[in-house]
Amino acid sequence: MSMPTQQYVKTETVGRIGRIRLDRTARYNALNRTMVREIVEAMETFDRDDRVTVIVLTGNGKSFSAGADIEEMLEATPISMELLDPFADWDRISRIKKPIIAGVHGFVLGGGFELALACDLIYADPATQFGFPEVGLGVMPGAGGTQRLTKCIGRTRALEWLFTGDRMQADEAERLGIINRVTTDVEATVLAMAERLSNQPSMALRLIKDAANKAVDLSLQDGMEHERRNFYLLFATADQTEGMQAFLEKRPPIFNQQEQE
Ligand code: CAA
């Protein structure tokens, strides 16, 4: 499956892992519109590729990302924003069905933090600094930061970070449950996790992600009904037969065999 042209990201497929590296290092991977489009298109290409089970997103150079490109936004007006609708591309990340693992280091600020929060699992280097400095620019997060952080850590705690723009250290992000883990070798950790997930049944991963996402938006009852439908659907997969048969035969299951044929 061919990738669209890329200027600000690098992509490769390693086994069943689709890798995306941000690559605008001279600007701390500040996210201009073209770069966001390239990230989204790379994710969508991997999402459609049957050989890929899991997507890994990492930074490059000194950082994951210092946020949206401030220079690009300086001359913006409400009308230019409305016409360009720069955040429409960000919405497409929410529709990626495969697991996305973010490995972050250095600065994870503003839109960079929002990008990490749009992923499913986040692993961070101990020296990583997270934050929403938008208030210091006279604006606010616009790509999901106020919503995702609040849903993740609660309103009063989120508001302190959003009002002050203070930087959050990696261990605090871990304590608050914003990231999965601090690790001294981000690259090895994300690849090991991606490798593990790539051996899990791909349709189960997809429907687990879908159900967990619904938990954020739906009432408990509606969410449970959605979960049940996904559960029933998995009984149409060869991996369900393989997983249960392997258990009864006391052997490890081998998933995704149909896709590998
Ligand atoms: N946009 C555009 N350019 C940026 C940038 C950004 N977000 N972040 C860094 N750069 C550029 C700098 O302008 C500088 O360019 P030049 O070499 O041409 O001068 C280069 O990257 C290196 O940056 P610094 O010289 O500032 O490096 P530093 O080590 O002193 O500081 C930093 C690093 C703390 C990350 C600092 O650059 C910084 O504070 N960046 C801005 C962070 C920020 O405010 N992010 C929020 C953006 S708004 C947003 O994201 C809205 C949204 O919700 C989508």
Side-chain angles (χ1 to χ4, degrees):
M1 194 157 289
S2 70
M3 268 295 159
T5 322
Q6 294 158 350
Q7 190 181 351
Y8 300 115
V9 302
K10 287 194 171 121
T11 58
E12 62 176 331
T13 308
V14 184
R16 296 179 59 78
I17 305 166
R19 291 209 59 174
I20 306 170
R21 274 195 199 85
L22 307 180
D23 194 33
R24 199 183 176 212
T25 51
R27 300 215 155 220
Y28 285 95
N29 296 322
L31 300 159
N32 60 26
R33 283 193 301 276
T34 306
M35 187 166 170
V36 172
R37 174 72 52 91
E38 287 179 6
I39 296 165
V40 171
E41 286 179 349
M43 286 180 177
E44 288 175 344
T45 305
F46 285 138
D47 211 30
R48 285 192 300 269
D49 189 339
D50 289 342
R51 293 163 306 173
V52 169
T53 311
V54 54
I55 299 166
V56 165
L57 175 68
T58 51
N60 209 356
K62 288 195 217 157
S63 267
F64 181 69
S65 171
D69 190 318
I70 298 167
E71 204 178 334
E72 198 179 61
M73 285 186 292
L74 178 67
E75 304 292 339
T77 66
I79 300 300
S80 71
M81 284 281 186
E82 171 67 24
L83 291 173
L84 281 169
D85 198 8
F87 296 129
D89 280 333
W90 289 76
D91 292 341
R92 291 160 62 188
I93 301 175
S94 313
R95 293 194 282 275
I96 300 295
K97 295 184 186 311
K98 291 175 185 168
I100 311 172
I101 306 175
V104 303
H105 72 286
F107 294 112
V108 184
L109 302 177
F113 198 0
E114 290 170 308
L115 180 59
L117 287 171
C119 298
D120 301 314
L121 303 176
I122 310 174
Y123 298 92
D125 176 82
T128 310
Q129 297 187 41
F130 299 85
F132 283 117
E134 285 91 337
V135 69
L137 299 167
V139 290
M140 59 182 281
T146 61
Q147 305 303 298
R148 286 206 166 96
L149 188 68
T150 301
K151 282 182 196 286
C152 183
I153 64 173
R155 182 176 169 276
T156 48
R157 282 197 292 202
L159 279 175
E160 190 175 78
W161 294 107
L162 292 159
F163 281 160
T164 61
D166 282 352
R167 301 235 186 102
M168 184 192 294
Q169 308 303 313
D171 56 352
E172 176 129 39
E174 184 184 55
R175 191 179 60 76
L176 288 168
I178 295 170
I179 63 170
N180 293 83
R181 206 169 309 129
V182 175
T183 164
T184 49
D185 193 340
V186 174
E187 179 86 0
T189 304
V190 292
L191 288 181
M193 180 53 73
E195 185 63 34
R196 263 187 84 182
L197 296 194
S198 69
N199 291 316
Q200 300 282 60
S202 61
M203 190 55 72
L205 291 180
R206 184 182 175 111
L207 295 186
I208 289 168
K209 171 168 170 167
D210 173 67
N213 285 346
K214 286 288 186 295
V216 180
D217 294 329
L218 298 182
S219 68
L220 180 62
Q221 193 51 46
D222 289 346
M224 302 251 293
E225 276 174 33
H226 191 85
E227 176 192 72
R228 199 162 307 154
R229 281 178 203 292
N230 287 4
F231 180 81
Y232 294 159
L233 192 54
L234 288 173
F235 284 77
T237 63
D239 285 337
Q240 174 264 328
T241 313
E242 167 63 10
M244 295 190 180
Q245 218 158 39
F247 175 81
L248 295 173
E249 290 168 9
K250 302 189 188 308
R251 61 172 174 83
I254 304 169
F255 292 124
N256 307 314
Q257 292 183 78
Q258 278 187 333
E259 291 165 29
Q260 281 161 24
E261 277 162 12

